[in-house]
Amino acid sequence: MSSFNRRFLLLALPALAACGFEPVYGTGGSAEGLRGSILVDEPTTLDSFNLVAQLEQRLGRAQAPVYGMSVTLKVEEKGLAISGSNDITRYNVLGTAVYVLRNLGSDEQVYKGTVNTFTAYSASAQPVATLAAKRDASERLMTALADKITTDLLINSGKF
């Protein structure tokens, strides 16, 4: 390592420490305050059940809830690839989740966010295989939405 690289490294370390960088999952990080403190509204559909399960896995099941979360899901499927015989062989599954975090003590809205993503699956000549691929795509979509909601909450936890 050249002397220039060592000097740069030695000067950069204090600057990084002074910038306020703090690990989210470290002791005292923003994830610590949210774990087990969010009660997600009961699911009403299979998609919302999968989403709530993923959120509880990431944020912990509410033991002493401080916040309540309601999530509105919108899922739509669009044909993506059409074969020569005019059959759709690939589908995109688009998902949007609008969620509201409210203080359970005052029922006041403290944060609102929207996340969206997509996944895809291939249709086959076998209906059972297509149905299994569609279910898997739906589960993957709910996992991705839960990841995005969790990330958004952790990034913005200082706002509530």
Side-chain angles (χ1 to χ4, degrees):
M1 185 186 274
S2 73
S3 64
F4 175 74
N5 287 342
R6 277 183 265 175
R7 280 187 300 223
F8 177 75
L9 181 63
L10 290 174
L11 292 173
L13 286 175
L16 182 61
C19 78
F21 174 76
E22 177 183 304
V24 172
Y25 293 104
T27 305
S30 58
E32 192 174 65
L34 291 179
R35 186 134 185 92
S37 67
I38 298 176
L39 178 64
V40 183
D41 291 350
E42 290 185 20
T44 57
T45 64
L46 180 58
D47 281 341
S48 64
F49 176 82
N50 288 331
L51 179 68
V52 169
Q54 293 298 323
L55 286 169
E56 286 182 347
Q57 183 178 358
R58 284 152 185 72
L59 298 170
R61 183 167 278 176
Q63 302 297 321
V66 176
Y67 304 105
M69 180 191 292
S70 56
V71 181
T72 304
L73 279 174
K74 180 182 175 194
V75 178
E76 72 182 294
E77 192 174 284
K78 292 190 175 188
L80 187 63
I82 300 175
S83 69
S85 60
N86 217 22
D87 293 324
I88 298 174
T89 58
R90 185 127 179 108
Y91 293 89
N92 266 358
V93 185
L94 311 166
T96 300
V98 178
Y99 61 97
V100 176
L101 198 64
R102 63 192 181 283
N103 185 312
L104 288 176
S106 65
D107 208 35
E108 177 185 336
Q109 177 180 316
V110 293
Y111 188 74
K112 182 177 182 178
T114 302
V115 295
N116 52 54
T117 191
F118 74 96
T119 188
Y121 69 94
S122 293
S124 74
Q126 302 297 322
V128 174
T130 299
L131 183 60
K134 182 177 181 174
R135 283 186 190 149
D136 180 64
S138 179
E139 289 176 13
R140 286 184 284 122
L141 180 66
M142 294 306 118
T143 299
L145 287 171
D147 287 342
K148 287 186 165 225
I149 289 171
T150 303
T151 300
D152 189 41
L153 287 173
L154 292 174
I155 288 170
N156 292 297
S157 64
K159 296 179 182 178
F160 49 89

